[in-house]
Amino acid sequence: MEQKRVYFDNSATTAVDMEVIKEMQSYFSGVYGNASSFHHFGRQSKSALDNARSKVALLLNASPEEIFFTGCGTESDNIAIFGILNAYEKKGHIITSKIEHHAVLYSCKHLEKSGYEVTYLDVDKDGVVSVEDFKKSVKDDTLLVTIMHANNEVGALQPIAEIAAELKKINEIRKDRVYFHTDAVQSAGKLRLDVKKLDVDLLAISGHKFNGPKGVGVLYVRGGTNISPITFGGHHEGGLRPGTENVACIVGLAKALELSNVNLEANNKTIFNLREKLKKGILDKIPEVTINGSGNKAVDNILNVSFNCIEGEALLLMLDMRGIAVSTGSACASGEDGPSHVLKAMGVDDVVAQGAIRFSFGHNNTQEEVDYTLEVLPKVVSGLRLMSPAWKQKKV
């Protein structure tokens, strides 16, 4: 009998929609010219590239000239952070948060070694930074603020527009502008992103998080932003990201972003109902669990739960044996020792954090999959707890 398979790891990556695949197909072998070539084949690819750029710009409420295609969200974040700081040609101060994706955190750690000062803002129990804390952290030599839009482990939404409003006031009385970057990789496809309403200077997204292809991302750069390239080669992407454009995947990203926006409300309602059903079932069926973060201040598709007195990795493996795919946090942090840096920043006890599992939903998930998970999960948790010295001691 074939093993039933349930995929609840959509924050790590998503399946490419069939409409997206269909949109991409002709650009692998039919329309294959280099978009920088002047002949017929190149002009075909250039036209597709221009159309995709215009489509993404429209969906983000930006101008086509402000959209740059990259290889992934990590690359977009790195270009934004290092590109802004390189343009200043002087060392200074950076503000970020303690719950950033490692694409941002590790960049900031590297910059500290290079002589920059970094302030890592605390978050509350729901994983949200304080605007007041941000205001207090700004210094005379602050050059860049980089704070994510939605957290990848608990889904916590950050007050980006509110921070931008405070930063606007600060910039009105400063000589050197403080630029604002947000990693919107986990909010793209779940929320309507409007760069004018968010009022950020730079915004990063990645195609594979909203049912587009892997290996392609976007960096929005507000017009007039002083930014330098961090890699060098040709004139592609306005010289900011040299290298022959991946036209097929860029076309796919644009189509996926379009589809996610068209179906946004319906998808979010479905996903919210699935998340709440799973959460209620877990709380009803399994004792000693902790919900990490508040669904009221988060994207709808993430549920982070700690199962006390067991290891999250052991639970992940046991669920995988029964066909259920989940994660213990960010896929980019897998293999690291110790509890999640996000849960630690939220004040979650280390022992509780060790038992954390992230369930992340997509529009292809079903009620039947939640039912199956609620049938399997209590048995697996109970079995692991029977082997847990901490659980046995707790019950004595």
Side-chain angles (χ1 to χ4, degrees):
M1 185 176 177
E2 187 177 350
Q3 172 72 63
K4 184 177 179 67
R5 292 289 173 189
V6 175
Y7 186 75
F8 284 148
D9 200 16
N10 288 276
S11 287
T13 196
T14 54
V16 182
D17 277 344
M18 291 308 298
E19 286 187 61
V20 173
I21 293 172
K22 184 178 179 182
E23 191 90 356
M24 294 169 64
Q25 280 177 335
S26 63
Y27 297 97
F28 289 109
S29 58
V31 181
Y32 56 85
N34 188 316
S36 296
S37 298
F38 291 114
H39 48 59
H40 168 76
F41 297 93
R43 291 196 304 274
Q44 281 184 309
S45 293
K46 179 64 161 58
S47 177
L49 185 63
D50 290 344
N51 289 338
R53 197 184 310 277
S54 295
K55 185 181 290 186
V56 171
L58 180 64
L59 292 166
L60 297 181
N61 196 19
S63 300
E65 310 81 53
E66 297 174 317
I67 300 300
F68 298 86
F69 293 111
T70 68
C72 58
T74 294
E75 186 183 17
S76 294
D77 287 335
N78 274 254
I79 293 172
I81 294 168
F82 291 97
I84 288 293
L85 298 176
N86 288 349
Y88 274 111
E89 296 183 341
K90 64 179 180 179
K91 302 291 172 68
H93 177 235
I94 304 158
I95 301 171
T96 188
S97 82
K98 291 181 177 179
I99 62 163
E100 297 299 309
H101 187 276
H102 285 140
V104 171
L105 278 184
Y106 287 171
S107 294
C108 289
K109 295 293 184 185
H110 174 79
L111 287 163
E112 281 185 295
K113 295 175 183 176
S114 303
Y116 289 86
E117 181 188 0
V118 182
T119 295
Y120 298 90
L121 296 176
D122 290 321
V123 295
D124 63 18
K125 62 182 177 59
D126 293 321
V128 180
V129 301
S130 160
V131 178
E132 287 303 312
D133 285 351
F134 160 74
K135 287 165 61 178
K136 293 174 185 175
S137 69
V138 179
K139 300 185 177 185
D140 290 341
D141 64 341
T142 300
L143 304 176
L144 175 68
V145 178
T146 173
I147 296 175
M148 67 191 342
H149 192 201
N151 180 261
N152 50 298
E153 293 192 26
V154 297
L157 284 166
Q158 306 307 317
I160 299 302
E162 292 86 345
I163 291 172
E166 294 299 330
L167 197 54
K168 187 174 183 178
K169 297 175 190 175
I170 292 167
N171 277 327
E172 286 174 353
I173 57 174
R174 286 175 61 103
K175 178 183 176 183
D176 290 327
R177 179 180 177 82
V178 182
Y179 285 106
F180 190 10
H181 161 253
T182 188
D183 176 338
V185 167
Q186 288 293 341
S187 56
K190 290 88 176 175
L191 302 173
R192 295 192 190 281
L193 296 179
D194 185 323
V195 294
K196 289 186 172 59
K197 288 182 179 179
L198 292 174
D199 202 18
V200 292
D201 299 300
L202 306 108
L203 178 143
I205 66 174
S206 185
H208 73 108
K209 301 296 188 180
F210 47 88
N211 301 101
K214 298 175 183 65
V216 61
V218 168
L219 177 63
Y220 157 78
V221 182
R222 192 204 300 260
T225 298
N226 189 20
I227 186 169
S228 299
I230 63 172
T231 54
F232 300 90
H235 60 275
H236 318 83
E237 298 304 300
L240 185 60
R241 200 274 186 177
T244 301
E245 290 95 346
N246 185 350
V247 176
C249 285
I250 287 169
V251 167
L253 179 149
K255 182 64 175 178
L257 189 60
E258 178 184 52
L259 289 172
S260 70
N261 274 254
V262 168
N263 302 316
L264 191 69
E265 285 74 19
N267 286 344
N268 281 349
K269 183 178 180 180
T270 298
I271 287 167
F272 174 81
N273 289 337
L274 292 175
R275 185 192 76 186
E276 291 304 294
K277 179 176 182 176
L278 181 61
K279 180 167 73 173
K280 183 178 185 305
I282 289 172
L283 292 172
D284 287 347
K285 293 172 179 281
I286 305 174
E288 299 281 347
V289 299
T290 304
I291 306 298
N292 299 311
S294 168
N296 297 325
K297 299 179 181 178
V299 288
D300 291 332
N301 71 308
I302 294 177
L303 176 64
N304 192 298
V305 187
S306 287
F307 299 87
N308 297 348
C309 298
I310 60 177
E311 290 288 330
E313 287 188 2
L315 180 54
L316 181 155
L317 293 171
M318 293 295 286
L319 289 174
D320 185 51
M321 289 174 64
R322 289 156 178 79
I324 301 169
V326 296
S327 75
T328 54
S330 170
C332 298
S334 61
E336 289 200 345
D337 294 328
S340 154
H341 72 281
V342 174
L343 298 183
K344 194 175 183 70
M346 291 167 59
V348 178
D349 179 81
D350 282 357
V351 175
V352 175
Q354 285 290 124
I357 289 290
R358 180 186 70 182
F359 301 88
S360 51
F361 302 86
H363 67 267
N364 293 322
N365 289 127
T366 65
Q367 297 277 351
E368 291 73 23
E369 290 175 334
V370 173
D371 290 337
Y372 175 68
T373 302
L374 288 173
E375 178 187 329
V376 170
L377 185 59
K379 298 173 185 175
V380 172
V381 171
S382 179
L384 288 171
R385 281 176 171 170
L386 286 174
M387 297 183 285
S388 167
W391 182 255
K392 291 175 182 177
Q393 186 176 10
K394 193 179 185 71
K395 293 302 173 183
V396 170

